[in-house]
Amino acid sequence: METQRQSAVMRACVIAVLVQLLLSGSQGLQCREVAGQLRQIDVSAGQVFGTDTADAIFTLYGGTWTQLPGALKHVTVGPSGIWGINSANAIFKLVDANWVQVPGQLKQIDAGGVQFVAGVNTADNIFCLGQEATVGYKGPGSPFPWQGLQGALKYYSCGPLGCWGVNATEDIFVRMGVTPQQCQGTGDWQQVDGKLSMIEVGSEGSVYGVNAAGDVYCRDGITSSNPAGTGWTQLSECGKSKHVSFDLGHLWVITQDNRIQDCS
Ligand SMILES: *[C@@H]1O[C@H](CO)[C@@H](O)[C@H](O)[C@H]1NC(C)=O
């Protein structure tokens, strides 16, 4: 009985990932190698952005990687725009196709929240920027009132149903009640089972992560009434990886040797 229930829950995640393929009659997650090399990737609303080991910034347009001006070690795309972090941990926002520096310092940032951004600094302090500052850039001198969150995380990512993070010892946390007006959320961190090195929330709320061994996992059973989900399913088709991001039925995977895979 318990085994049946668990396997049903496990299948739920895979089915969510593979719904298009299953409908078309194919079986299993299929990964296709994409030309190029990246260190980090972020995808949202049909857009694909990434950075390589030389801090060059790329976006996929018409099937071709197009380099953007500037240098970043981390880039994010989402409902809250396109933001990045350079090697000195300075923060940039793409405004009118130019990188505008934003006050503050972070090592990682995420634009997946609904009209807010969030990230962590080198001391693993956690910050978010509410709706007004995130979407209402008014030129030089525009205020950026970063709000601190209690706790410590090395990676933090947000989506429509909440935010997920991992701490220095790879423990996993979810935070609910996060809104454009209250990006800090309400209540406490809820610890989730498992260990991951990085975690990303997709545009529709699905959650994927990579552990220290490079294995890729998808969170099962996430619904608006249970945003923390129910368990993890390993996606062994992805191979040894270091970074993932999910959008529109595609899981983009960066392998440990910086190759790019598009899995669907
Ligand atoms: C990570 O979270 C766990 C669970 O709350 C905690 O025991 C551990 O001390 C945390 N690690 C760090 C480095 O904060």
Side-chain angles (χ1 to χ4, degrees):
M1 200 47 202
E2 184 61 10
T3 315
Q4 272 178 11
R5 194 189 63 81
Q6 279 174 352
S7 63
V9 167
M10 277 175 61
R11 277 197 307 273
C13 161
V14 178
I15 287 167
V17 179
L18 303 177
V19 66
Q20 287 170 318
L21 271 176
L22 290 170
L23 286 173
S24 69
S26 303
Q27 285 174 4
L29 188 65
Q30 300 205 327
C31 294
R32 166 183 82 86
E33 182 137 353
V34 174
Q37 293 235 313
L38 291 175
R39 172 182 49 198
Q40 175 257 334
I41 196 160
D42 203 34
V43 298
S44 177
Q47 301 189 79
V48 180
F49 280 80
T51 56
D52 72 6
T53 52
D55 288 353
I57 315 156
F58 295 92
T59 186
L60 197 55
Y61 191 79
T64 307
W65 291 110
T66 303
Q67 190 173 351
L68 277 73
L72 296 173
K73 66 172 178 180
H74 185 98
V75 68
T76 179
V77 55
S80 301
I82 297 159
W83 298 66
I85 305 291
N86 75 4
S87 55
N89 300 308
I91 308 164
F92 295 86
K93 177 182 176 125
L94 199 61
V95 178
D96 297 333
N98 291 306
W99 292 113
V100 171
Q101 191 173 350
V102 164
Q105 286 214 316
L106 294 173
K107 68 174 173 185
Q108 177 258 325
I109 191 164
D110 190 85
V114 182
Q115 305 206 318
F116 70 91
V117 290
V120 296
N121 69 9
T122 51
D124 286 359
N125 299 131
I126 314 155
F127 296 92
C128 68
L129 186 65
Q131 176 178 37
E132 212 175 312
T134 295
V135 298
Y137 182 72
K138 293 174 188 71
S142 205
F144 284 92
W146 292 100
Q147 300 174 58
L149 280 75
Q150 45 127 299
L153 294 175
K154 66 172 178 177
Y155 203 106
Y156 191 48
S157 176
C158 294
L161 302 178
C163 297
W164 291 66
V166 294
N167 76 3
T169 44
E170 322 247 300
D171 290 301
I172 308 164
F173 300 89
V174 60
R175 193 170 189 87
M176 268 84 95
V178 205
T179 67
Q181 292 76 30
Q182 200 169 15
C183 64
Q184 292 160 300
T186 50
D188 277 332
W189 297 104
Q190 180 183 332
Q191 192 175 348
V192 163
D193 62 293
K195 293 263 185 187
L196 289 173
S197 302
M198 66 82 57
I199 195 159
E200 279 284 342
V201 187
S203 337
E204 20 46 73
S206 58
V207 173
Y208 294 83
V210 182
N211 71 7
D215 300 317
V216 177
Y217 289 86
C218 171
R219 186 72 181 166
D220 310 304
I222 293 175
T223 60
S224 48
S225 55
N226 182 24
T230 50
W232 295 104
T233 293
Q234 188 181 343
L235 303 177
S236 51
E237 298 88 344
C238 298
K240 292 294 178 188
S241 308
K242 62 177 175 184
H243 207 97
V244 290
S245 186
F246 182 83
D247 181 44
L248 300 176
H250 290 249
L251 182 66
W252 292 78
V253 177
I254 303 301
T255 65
Q256 286 181 337
D257 53 356
N258 301 315
R259 287 177 299 110
I260 308 160
Q261 295 192 84
D262 171 6
C263 304
S264 59

